[in-house]
Every structure is written in structure tokens, then in C-alpha cells.
Amino acid sequence: MGKTTILIVEDDPDILNLVAWHLKAADYHVLMAQEGDGALEIAMAERPDLIILDLMLPGMDGLEVCKAIKRQRETTHVPIIMLTARGEEADRIVGLELGADDYVVKPFSPRELVLRVQAVLRRSSDTQEKKGPLQAEGITVDLEAHRVWVDGEETVLTATEFKLLLELLNNKGRVLSRDRLLDRVWGYQFDGYARTVDTHIRRLRQKLGRRADVVETIRGVGYRLRES
């Protein structure tokens, strides 16, 4: 074994098999599920390295599955890429706010999906290779343990939120544009994805609680972690 394990949750067998074929060709170990309840059981039992999750599922839908996975400490750090046929931006934003790390809209290029998988796994791995801890404005980050405390109380971040906080901490006092954050945290730059950054910043602020204001919005430019 030793291969990176990816769980694909998709009720359409043609899409499921297509995605599985491309991921296996990229040398990933693949698990598959076609409904939400079964996906949760597999996620808890197998602890995959990443989950590709369709929104429209029979029974428990993808948003509920995402919420359940992010609620459990054992699986909260597992990155999730959402697949959705919904074109409305609001649906994608809801997925990101529930903790998804990225999303791909159907119809999609299987090659692009594999590249997204690689980018998400790479940034998740990057956060585990750094040393720590880091401290700023009441926030303490243990890089090796992948844990964060705000004024002494632990808060659980997703892999993307963790990488986003690190990027801000490592550039404290500097203004980082949305494009810079997309490139450094997500590993790509595409038109229309600036809202992805805004959504994750909003989630990060919520989890920082009373320290939320240390992440400053620089209107028309991007974001900055406030210096003392």
C-alpha cells in the first residue's frame, strides 16, 4: 500500500468510474461511495487523505456529509473537494463555509480535477512539514501538531484555513492580494475564484473569535495580519 487514498462520493456511476480511472492512472488508491451515509462510514473507517464529494446525493446530501466530516475531530483535517452541477455561486459558497477546501463545477475536465487534487494534497502536506510554534496577537500555532490556540483555547481549523493562517502569519504586516493567496494557499490562479479567498477568510475570522480583527481587510487589495 503506502499510496495516497482518495474517497470519491458520486451517485452517477459514469462520473464515478471516470474520476476513479483518472485518479488510479495518477497512482492514487481509490475508495468509492454512491450515497452519503455510506461515504461517512467509509471516511470514519478508512480515514482517506482526501475526499471528492458530489453535492447532489440520495439520502444525506453532500453538504450534510461535509458538515458531518468536519464536525468529527478524527476527520476534520481531511481535505474535501466538492463536485457540483449547480451553477449558482451561493451553493459553492455554502460548501466552502461548511469547510470544503475547493470545488469543481460539472461538467469538468478530469485532468483539471487531478491537478486540483494534487494542489490540495500539496498544501495540506506543506503545513505538516514546517516547524513551530508560531505566536502573534494571542494566536499560537503548533505547526508539527497542526493545532491552533486562541487566547489559550484550542480552535480546530481545516487544512486550507490552517495554511491561510500560516501565510498571513509568515507575512505579518504585509498586504497579501487575493491572487497571491490563491497562488500560495490554493496553488492556482483562475478568474472568478477571488470569492474563494473571501469565504475562507470569513470562516477563519469566525474561528479566531475575539481575535478576528487581527485579520484586516485592505479594501480593493486583499488582506493583512495586523502587527502589534
Side-chain angles (χ1 to χ4, degrees):
M1 296 292 290
K3 291 184 178 181
T4 298
T5 299
I6 299 177
L7 169 60
I8 310 168
V9 189
E10 168 62 63
D11 64 327
D12 185 322
D14 291 333
I15 296 177
L16 180 64
N17 291 326
L18 176 68
V19 173
W21 189 90
H22 281 274
L23 288 173
K24 288 176 182 177
D27 203 32
Y28 293 111
H29 175 60
V30 173
L31 304 171
M32 295 184 283
Q34 290 185 270
E35 48 87 29
D37 292 315
L40 271 181
E41 292 179 8
I42 293 173
M44 294 303 298
E46 301 293 336
R47 309 288 173 81
D49 298 289
L50 181 142
I51 298 171
I52 296 174
L53 178 63
D54 185 29
L55 280 186
M56 302 296 288
L57 294 170
M60 179 184 287
D61 68 22
L63 293 176
E64 288 300 317
V65 173
C66 180
K67 189 186 303 183
I69 287 171
K70 293 301 181 179
R71 190 185 299 128
Q72 300 297 321
R73 177 171 292 276
E74 297 85 354
T75 54
T76 190
H77 299 306
V78 177
I80 294 176
I81 298 177
M82 285 192 159
L83 293 181
T84 174
R86 298 174 177 176
E88 296 84 356
E89 184 179 31
D91 293 311
R92 302 196 292 272
I93 295 300
V94 169
L96 294 172
E97 289 183 337
L98 288 175
D101 296 85
D102 203 352
Y103 62 87
V104 175
V105 179
K106 299 175 184 178
F108 58 86
S109 159
R111 175 171 170 75
E112 180 189 351
L113 179 58
V114 171
L115 291 174
R116 294 288 190 90
V117 166
Q118 292 170 346
V120 171
L121 287 171
R122 184 168 56 249
R123 70 174 181 259
S124 179
S125 174
D126 286 347
T127 64
Q128 298 171 16
E129 293 173 358
K130 298 175 183 285
K131 304 299 179 183
L134 293 176
Q135 292 183 322
E137 300 287 338
I139 301 167
T140 302
V141 178
D142 186 331
L143 296 151
E144 294 180 316
H146 202 286
R147 299 173 71 183
V148 177
W149 291 266
V150 179
D151 292 328
E153 294 187 8
E154 186 172 6
T155 183
V156 179
L157 304 185
T158 67
T160 301
E161 293 161 357
F162 192 85
K163 185 70 179 291
L164 183 57
L165 178 59
L166 280 186
E167 190 65 21
L168 291 166
L169 279 168
N170 287 329
N171 294 277
K172 186 169 60 174
R174 296 177 57 192
V175 180
L176 303 180
S177 70
R178 290 173 177 83
D179 285 342
R180 160 72 184 268
L181 290 170
L182 275 171
D183 182 55
R184 296 286 296 171
V185 177
W186 280 262
Y188 56 75
Q189 290 184 348
F190 293 120
D191 291 339
Y193 281 79
R195 281 295 296 274
T196 299
V197 177
D198 295 339
T199 300
H200 278 85
I201 288 287
R202 184 163 62 250
R203 281 183 53 83
L204 179 60
R205 282 172 169 157
Q206 289 172 353
K207 293 185 178 182
L208 293 179
R210 61 187 296 269
R211 294 288 183 174
D213 61 353
V214 303
V215 180
E216 300 178 322
T217 300
I218 309 303
R219 190 175 299 276
V221 183
Y223 297 97
R224 173 179 63 198
L225 192 77
R226 186 183 67 210
E227 285 190 298
S228 300

